[in-house]
Amino acid sequence: GTKKKAACPGLGLFYTVLSAFLFSVASLFLKKIEDVHSVEVSAFRCVFQMAFVLPGLIYYKTGFLGPKGKRIFLFFRGFLGSSAMILLYYAFQVMPLADATVITFSSPVFTSLLAWIFLKEKYSVWDFVFTLFAITGVILIARPPFLFGSHVSGIEGSYTDHLKGTIAAVTSTVSAALTFVILRKMGKSVHYFLSIWYYAVIGLIGCVIALFVMNEWRLPYCGKDRVLLILIGLLGLGGQIFLTKALQIEKAGPVAIMKTMDVVFAFILQIIFLNHLPTWWTVGGALCVVASSSGTAIRKWRQNLKKSKQNEI
């Protein structure tokens, strides 16, 4: 049958912008939390995910383990996805909000590279150029001393924390890219709710083990931190719901391009609420990364349009 068009033109793009705003506000609240480790914040996020997904699993009768041939993929999807979340939350806590957000936007570029390696998808000269742009953007944000000298300005705290945050953000981005590759490999054979279930369960188990090993598990002392934890869980869940709805009624290309509003919101919130002006290095890095991710999205979008036209013929 024919695919139903959105009842309201541009509704999918509006959902994407709303999703970007909710994710950005959740990141801002994470910066405002004072006495809670990023791993514990991730554990609370996983609990919210499980509470949301469990009724869906029961309603759609998908089971809790999934098809036998897909369980290994589901496990790695959960492990890599939750690892990406934990590392990103750590990066948000130790480096400027805009810097960490920009680095995560290199994910589509790494996805293309890893899909070429593992799924034998086409990797063109343009993909290589976009990869170089993304790497350049990350370098401009990290500003390693051997390239920029020993005095690095415009960072939060010490340069050691900034470097740790950059490494965590890059590792999170690569983990997220590997997650997308695994999801492509599974295709539509596994229900979306089951994929999130593995992500939440494995993430929660990993967070609890890590917290006990680091001896960091504790309830927040301040009532404000407890409220922020709940809000982070709700906002993250809302952002994911609206992004999913956007992809259901809009093509992936326009959604990926509109999702660059994450970067815009991160800059605005950082300036207004954290009183931290981004440096020109960060702006330059942001332009490189956004250009590379947008170029990758546009190219994939045109390829899909071309394939769909050929199939119609």
Side-chain angles (χ1 to χ4, degrees):
T2 57
K3 187 178 179 181
K4 290 183 179 179
K5 293 184 178 180
C8 176
L11 184 62
L13 300 182
F14 171 75
Y15 283 154
T16 307
V17 174
L18 185 57
S19 168
F21 178 73
L22 294 178
F23 280 133
S24 298
V25 175
S27 304
L28 174 66
F29 288 164
L30 182 62
K31 296 285 289 183
K32 291 289 187 179
I33 288 182
E34 297 174 355
D35 297 318
V36 183
H37 197 279
S38 58
V39 178
E40 187 171 349
V41 180
S42 303
F44 275 92
R45 171 75 184 276
C46 289
V47 170
F48 274 92
Q49 297 274 44
M50 290 173 65
F52 168 72
V53 171
L54 185 58
L57 292 178
I58 296 171
Y59 178 79
Y60 289 106
K61 299 178 181 179
T62 61
F64 296 97
L65 297 177
K68 286 186 177 180
K70 304 294 181 180
R71 289 174 187 174
I72 185 67
F73 295 114
L74 283 167
F75 171 80
F76 280 109
R77 181 267 183 269
F79 176 75
L80 291 168
S82 58
S83 298
M85 174 186 62
I86 294 168
L87 290 166
L88 180 60
Y89 280 8
Y90 174 77
F92 279 138
Q93 286 191 331
V94 299
M95 68 187 299
L97 180 64
D99 290 17
T101 304
V102 167
I103 291 175
T104 61
F105 263 79
S106 57
S107 180
V109 180
F110 287 112
T111 302
S112 296
L113 178 61
L114 293 170
W116 171 60
I117 295 172
F118 294 107
L119 301 181
K120 307 303 178 185
E121 292 187 4
K122 188 178 179 181
Y123 190 79
S124 68
V125 175
W126 279 110
D127 290 314
F128 178 72
V129 171
F130 295 143
T131 302
L132 290 180
F133 262 89
I135 294 172
T136 301
V138 172
I139 291 173
L140 289 175
I141 292 170
R143 281 162 281 166
F146 68 89
L147 288 177
F148 293 84
S150 56
H151 300 288
V152 181
S153 60
I155 62 175
E156 289 180 0
S158 65
Y159 180 76
T160 302
D161 285 340
H162 182 80
L163 185 60
K164 287 180 180 178
T166 302
I167 293 171
V170 172
T171 308
S172 169
T173 301
V174 174
S175 297
L178 283 169
T179 302
F180 287 134
V181 171
I182 291 172
L183 289 172
R184 283 190 194 178
K185 179 70 176 178
M186 290 192 299
K188 296 181 179 179
S189 59
V190 176
H191 198 278
Y192 173 75
F193 277 135
L194 193 60
S195 177
I196 300 179
W197 175 255
Y198 266 79
Y199 165 89
V201 171
I202 294 174
L204 181 60
I205 294 171
C207 287
V208 171
I209 293 172
L211 287 168
F212 276 107
V213 170
M214 297 185 297
N215 197 26
E216 289 283 351
W217 180 263
R218 61 179 182 272
L219 284 174
Y221 299 112
C222 176
K224 183 190 76 171
D225 283 349
R226 297 181 185 182
V227 172
L228 289 177
L229 270 176
I230 296 172
L231 289 175
I232 289 170
L234 292 174
L235 289 169
L237 183 58
Q240 192 167 44
I241 290 172
F242 280 113
L243 183 59
T244 303
K245 288 178 71 67
L247 289 169
Q248 287 176 342
I249 61 177
E250 186 61 77
K251 290 184 173 62
V255 170
I257 297 168
M258 190 59 69
K259 204 175 180 305
T260 55
M261 287 299 296
D262 272 12
V263 177
V264 177
F265 287 133
F267 275 99
I268 294 172
L269 295 176
Q270 177 176 297
I271 294 170
I272 295 175
F273 296 101
L274 301 177
N275 196 28
H276 186 91
L277 288 172
T279 63
W280 287 111
W281 294 116
T282 298
V283 174
L287 291 174
C288 287
V289 171
V290 169
S292 66
S293 61
S294 298
T296 302
I298 292 170
R299 186 174 173 278
K300 295 294 182 185
W301 181 27
R302 291 183 63 183
Q303 284 180 342
N304 290 334
L305 286 175
K306 189 176 180 180
K307 285 182 181 178
S308 61
K309 286 182 180 178
Q310 288 176 349
N311 290 334
E312 288 177 3
I313 295 171

